Amino acid sequence: MSGGEEAGRKPGALTVPTLSDVARAAGVSLATADRVLNRRPGVRLATVEKVEAAMAALRFERHPGAAALARRARFRVAALLPRGGNPFMQTLRSELERAARRPAARALDLDIAEVDTFDPASLAAEIGRAAEARDAVLAVGLDHPAVAEAIDAAGARGVPVVTLVSDVPGAARAHYVGIDNRAAGRVAAALAGRFSGLAPGSLAVLLGARALRDHHDRLDGFQDVLAARFPHLTLATVMEGQDDPALTQEVVRRFLRRAAPPTAIYSAGAGNAGLVAALAEFDLRPLVIAHELTSETRPLIESGAIDALIVQDPGHEARSALRAVSAALTGTRLDEAQERIRIEILLKDNLP
């Protein structure tokens, strides 16, 4: 479990606080604690205050699906993940499957489908179909009007959509689960600027696609810091490889044929094996900053082909996504501090 989820728990605790713990701490019966939790009448104000103080002290959180579980309700949830070989998304799929087997998600029936997230019409249609057949939808977002319209339509019919990894901020999605991608881009620029030194140079950025909101925001953050703090470094190109190693190798190869070798490359998406292969063709070794520790990137950072990784915890992300879905379905509140997905910088020296 990530640091964000552990925040506020007692060191060494094996279980989260229960309502029985709250009742014991407040000196009331379990029935009274339940009445306070569910805002039922017949409890004196002083007792309500005692119970609420105990909840705060213990950091008690009601199970998001507790009321539904009491009615033996189950919810059908569709998760729409990108089709293809993106290693991070494959890991995220495994973590979603693992999270769905946890007791906290026992009210959710999760169905994972792989879809074309680079095609807005196709993704919008998949969200529409999922909203017709399921109670909630998890989707890796594409920032496009057609996708936003599909999310809005799902919400209008009472089917919450939670965006995962990549957001659609203009849409009526119930929640976004993922890192602050502008911050990730700023971190990448800070690393590139510091490691590149004071000599003038050029940088290149490799995206999956600009329409992916996470990649778009990473580029914006990168450019902001580059312009403000490292004006001696210029951005020579922004390439798009659709997170595919073969396509990435080709677009990087085309760039290297026509341009001077860059000082550094920031890869904001996947397909990094293709990037490294293209650099090897030209016998180049610029500074390379990429994202996510995966089966693809681990050997590349271990060999020195990648210098630094900006990573997020897919396990925390999966668990947070299911908590967000449960909260949207049951009308309960999320602990924003618990759900904040943090970024981490990995070098060869601190690989887990």
Side-chain angles (χ1 to χ4, degrees):
M1 191 170 287
S2 74
E5 290 180 293
E6 291 290 349
R9 294 188 183 175
K10 296 178 181 179
L14 297 179
T15 59
V16 296
T18 66
L19 191 59
S20 295
D21 297 327
V22 171
R24 190 160 43 249
V28 300
S29 68
L30 180 60
T32 298
D34 182 73
R35 294 184 75 84
V36 174
L37 176 65
N38 291 289
R39 299 287 192 268
R40 288 195 288 270
V43 183
R44 291 185 303 146
L45 178 59
T47 302
V48 170
E49 291 174 347
K50 281 171 54 179
V51 173
E52 289 181 343
M55 289 179 181
L58 294 173
R59 301 205 176 205
F60 169 82
E61 291 184 14
R62 182 181 184 180
H63 189 289
L69 286 170
R71 297 192 301 270
R72 302 183 65 82
R74 297 192 64 80
F75 300 105
R76 299 166 300 164
V77 180
L80 307 179
L81 300 182
R83 181 181 298 126
N86 185 324
F88 177 78
M89 291 300 174
Q90 292 173 345
T91 301
L92 183 61
R93 175 177 184 141
S94 297
E95 292 293 347
L96 280 168
E97 291 169 343
R98 183 175 292 110
R101 294 193 294 268
R102 290 163 62 95
R106 62 184 177 270
L108 304 179
D109 289 326
L110 184 68
D111 179 31
I112 301 176
E114 293 186 353
V115 302
D116 186 353
T117 55
F118 289 100
D119 182 345
S122 176
L123 179 57
E126 293 287 356
I127 291 172
R129 281 192 285 270
E132 290 177 357
R134 300 290 187 270
D135 300 304
V137 179
L138 269 170
V140 175
L142 188 70
D143 195 11
H144 187 278
V147 177
E149 185 176 336
I151 293 173
D152 291 347
R157 65 184 297 164
V159 178
V161 177
V162 172
T163 53
L164 181 60
V165 179
S166 183
D167 197 13
V168 188
R173 77 309 188 249
H175 195 76
Y176 161 62
V177 177
I179 62 172
D180 180 339
N181 285 292
R182 283 181 178 271
R186 291 195 296 268
V187 168
L191 291 173
R194 289 173 182 271
F195 289 165
S196 296
L198 300 177
S202 65
L203 307 182
V205 173
L206 174 64
L207 308 178
R210 288 178 187 263
L212 291 171
R213 187 69 190 203
D214 55 335
H215 293 195
H216 177 278
D217 286 351
R218 290 172 189 178
L219 176 61
D220 281 353
F222 188 86
Q223 290 177 303
D224 287 347
V225 169
L226 203 66
R229 294 170 52 191
F230 305 103
H232 61 289
L233 299 174
T234 59
L235 183 57
T237 189
V238 178
M239 300 169 282
E240 297 184 31
Q242 295 192 8
D243 289 343
D244 177 79
L247 180 57
T248 294
Q249 183 173 356
E250 179 55 34
V251 298
V252 175
R253 182 190 289 132
R254 287 201 301 265
F255 164 66
L256 294 174
R257 283 174 180 159
R258 62 176 173 79
T263 304
I265 296 178
Y266 170 41
S267 175
N272 291 292
L275 165 62
V276 170
L279 293 174
E281 288 180 38
F282 290 80
D283 196 24
L284 295 176
R285 182 57 187 89
L287 174 74
V288 176
I289 298 164
H291 276 261
E292 314 313 343
L293 182 63
T294 67
S295 58
E296 178 188 46
T297 59
R298 179 181 282 276
L300 298 178
I301 193 170
E302 288 177 338
S303 70
I306 289 176
D307 296 280
L309 291 171
I310 299 168
V311 304
Q312 56 194 305
D313 181 351
H316 185 183
E317 213 151 24
R319 294 185 294 273
S320 183
L322 295 189
R323 285 193 293 265
V325 166
S326 292
L329 287 167
T330 59
T332 51
R333 183 183 62 83
L334 283 172
D335 181 346
E336 295 297 336
Q338 181 185 29
E339 309 311 336
R340 183 161 63 91
I341 310 298
R342 293 168 172 80
I343 59 173
E344 182 182 2
I345 300 169
L346 292 182
L347 307 177
K348 181 178 180 179
D349 311 275
N350 68 330
L351 289 177

